[in-house]
Amino acid sequence: MTIDITAPFRLDDKVAIVTGASYGLGVLFAEILATAGADVVVTARSVDKLAETATMIEDLGRRCLPVAGDVTEYADCERVVAAAMEEFGRIDILVNNAGWADDRLMRTEHCEPEMFVKMVNTDLNGLFFMTRAAAPDMLRTGGGSIINLSSIFGNAGSENRTAGYFAAKGGVNQLTKLLACEWGDRGLRVNALAPNFFVSEMTRTLLEDSGMATWMRSRTPLRRMGELPELVGPFLFLASPASSFVTGTVLNVDGGWSASGGYAQNEQPWDEWNGEQGVPIGAVTWSPPST
């Protein structure tokens, strides 16, 4: 028997929706889908950036429909789905990528309540709104694949101090499992992708200069940060028929971070960061206690 190992990863004649597709991982996910053969509906609040994503997809030889919308507004989610159905007649893949995090890393006792609400509203409520809007058509046309963007911080606590983000991503993981149980009998698979920090040309300098990269490497078994190409395989696996018997899974792409229940042994140098001098203020190097 001859096995074509590439065929299960093809997405020819499939239609995908990607939220938050104006920058970052949303653009990467849209590119992966188009490269594998799918036509793509891209949505985000930034119309100008969506146009750039659409051009990239069309240059790959696929059709693209940009639709401006805010996932925290259910009417916008319904409008995106309606536009996709009118243009393509079906939705096979939904990528719930849109999200927001408060990068100030404030301790919870100092976090403004409205910031907690904003993160949960975008990262969890918005994800549910888009799923709720798309699922009836996906179920009616034979199912497909929903990929929810989670995070390693949906799996466990950490000293990373963004309470709303942790709460939202934990909710994403549980919602993923619930919907997989509800919709599996009708061929609609629901999984989540939970990345560690991934470096890009935009974030590499910031992560290194602030000390965040050193801290993350200290508690990641592979002792390094992830690189964007390392998301291609896991994402395409979940999107494609290659994962046809996989649902309700939170796929950790984290260098082993989630395998540990430990706590970072390095100090957190961004607590007191001197941007002018480019060095941490009062950074302490960890050493074993004397016995």
Side-chain angles (χ1 to χ4, degrees):
M1 180 176 64
T2 300
I3 300 176
D4 183 352
I5 62 173
T6 63
F9 295 93
R10 292 298 306 172
L11 297 173
D12 302 296
D13 301 320
K14 303 295 185 183
V15 177
I17 295 177
V18 181
T19 70
S22 58
Y23 67 94
L25 293 183
V27 176
L28 174 65
F29 295 152
E31 182 179 6
I32 295 169
L33 293 165
T35 301
D39 295 322
V40 187
V41 179
V42 293
T43 183
R45 291 178 298 177
S46 174
V47 178
D48 293 341
K49 289 291 185 180
L50 278 182
E52 295 177 12
T53 306
T55 298
M56 177 268 293
I57 292 171
E58 289 166 354
D59 287 345
L60 291 169
R62 306 310 309 169
R63 296 168 62 192
C64 183
L65 177 66
V67 184
D70 183 345
V71 296
T72 66
E73 299 290 338
Y74 185 65
D76 280 11
C77 296
E78 288 187 309
R79 185 166 48 79
V80 171
V81 169
M85 293 300 295
E86 181 177 358
E87 181 73 16
F88 297 108
R90 61 183 300 112
I91 301 166
D92 302 288
I93 302 160
L94 170 63
V95 182
N96 283 313
N97 168 73
W100 179 81
D102 184 353
D103 59 7
R104 297 174 301 168
L105 299 177
M106 295 177 66
R107 293 185 185 273
T108 300
E109 68 268 26
H110 301 304
C111 175
E112 305 91 338
E114 56 268 25
M115 288 300 171
F116 183 95
V117 171
K118 181 178 178 180
M119 279 183 279
V120 172
N121 196 34
T122 303
D123 295 359
L124 180 57
N125 296 348
L127 180 148
F128 173 76
F129 286 169
M130 195 69 217
T131 301
R132 173 62 181 84
D137 286 314
M138 297 182 75
L139 290 165
R140 182 175 54 80
T141 56
S145 174
I146 295 176
I147 303 173
N148 296 326
L149 193 66
S150 183
S151 164
I152 55 173
F153 297 142
N155 297 328
S158 169
E159 64 276 37
N160 199 53
R161 315 175 189 166
T162 316
Y165 189 80
F166 277 67
K169 295 304 183 180
V172 167
N173 289 353
Q174 286 301 101
L175 183 62
T176 295
K177 295 173 184 178
L178 168 71
L179 297 180
C181 293
E182 283 198 32
W183 295 337
D185 61 344
R186 285 167 284 172
L188 182 52
R189 300 182 296 108
V190 188
N191 294 289
L193 192 66
N196 198 329
F197 282 85
F198 274 73
V199 294
S200 66
E201 293 308 312
M202 293 177 60
T203 63
R204 190 182 305 274
T205 299
L206 174 62
L207 288 169
E208 294 291 352
D209 287 353
S210 68
M212 175 70 82
T214 299
W215 176 71
M216 286 305 300
R217 285 192 292 260
S218 78
R219 62 177 304 167
T220 300
L222 288 184
R223 291 295 188 265
R224 64 179 179 84
M225 305 283 284
E227 300 286 341
L228 289 180
E230 294 176 300
L231 281 172
V232 174
F235 175 81
L236 183 57
F237 170 70
L238 293 181
S240 69
S243 60
S244 59
F245 201 57
V246 177
T247 194
T249 292
V250 179
L251 179 56
N252 299 310
V253 188
D254 62 3
W257 190 95
S258 297
S260 170
Y263 199 74
Q265 295 179 337
N266 287 15
E267 292 293 320
Q268 300 162 53
W270 60 87
D271 270 355
E272 296 181 85
W273 177 254
N274 188 323
E276 294 182 357
Q277 296 183 17
V279 295
I281 299 173
V284 178
T285 302
W286 181 89
S287 59
S290 59
T291 56

